[in-house]
Amino acid sequence: MPTTQPLAQRLACVEQRIDRACREHGRARSEVTLLAVGKTRAADELRRAFAAGVRCFGENYVDEAVGKLDRLRDLDADWHFIGPIQSNKTRTLSARFDWVQTVDRAKIARRLADQRPSSLQPLAVLIQVNIDREPQKAGCDPDEIDALAGFIAERDALALRGLMAIPSAERSASERREPFARMRSLFERLARVHPCADTLSMGMSGDLEDAIAEGSTLVRIGTALFGPRPG
Ligand SMILES: *Cc1c(COP(=O)(O)O)cnc(C)c1O
């Protein structure tokens, strides 16, 4: 796809892929949220995406995100943090974001809860799961979900909303559904204990169909929406 292709056209293409996957797998389109991943993109690009109808935005880097959040204050959008969390950044995260999708340890959950301004509604939290148990990857081990979920659920300043995962990229096309299927069963188990958990964040530009097939309720899309990232 040429980078000059207008955003509206790219968005229409992504919407069509989501629609088709939903239809193919017996899902209602309304069950799947499109999150536009804005890392490395200028605030103006996000503003254009908002004008085209996008309402949820994801950011990976706190310092980069804060500048954009300042410039886009006037937009009625939901802001999701989807990057790795350093403990010295939790105060900013807790004050500026609506969702944090990458909570993977109690220490971070405690800081986010303690630092959430009381004027704001509870911070929506997803537990990031290292579903393929990759050594260098963020996310808690699947066996640690229950304990961490219990810890989050006890905090009034946090709202436990579900799970997030980034499966290993080293899979052939025919094997891509398998980690998503394991996430689905972990999510269903979590939701039985925590009925407010309604969000399963999985699927990116290259595999959103496989994720939707296995019950994703939120796909995180960068490249397919904004074109290839520079660098
Ligand atoms: C960059 C990123 C995405 C989007 O990836 P694309 O392949 O560009 O759609 C999704 N989720 C996370 C956590 C990311 O860092």
Side-chain angles (χ1 to χ4, degrees), residues 208-222:
L208 70 89
E209 288 85 358
D210 293 314
I212 289 172
E214 294 296 348
S216 170
T217 71
L218 186 150
V219 290
R220 307 179 309 264
I221 307 298

Side-chain angles (χ1 to χ4, degrees), residues 37 39 60 82 164 166 204-205 220-223 229:
V37 175
K39 64 181 172 222
N60 291 65
I82 61 171
M164 178 270 208
I166 314 167
M204 314 201 299
S205 293
R220 307 179 309 264
I221 307 298
T223 320
R229 278 182 288 277

Side-chain angles (χ1 to χ4, degrees), residues 79-81 85 90-101 103 108-117 120-126 152 155-161:
W79 292 94
H80 293 234
F81 188 75
I85 305 176
T90 51
R91 187 174 297 281
T92 308
L93 281 183
S94 215
R96 302 301 302 271
F97 281 83
D98 304 296
W99 291 66
V100 176
Q101 296 202 5
V103 174
I108 294 295
R110 177 186 290 120
R111 290 178 68 93
L112 289 170
D114 291 349
Q115 295 168 341
R116 181 70 169 172
L120 300 179
Q121 52 186 25
L123 179 67
V125 163
L126 302 183
I152 293 166
R155 281 165 173 77
D156 291 340
L158 304 180
L160 176 65
R161 296 294 294 274

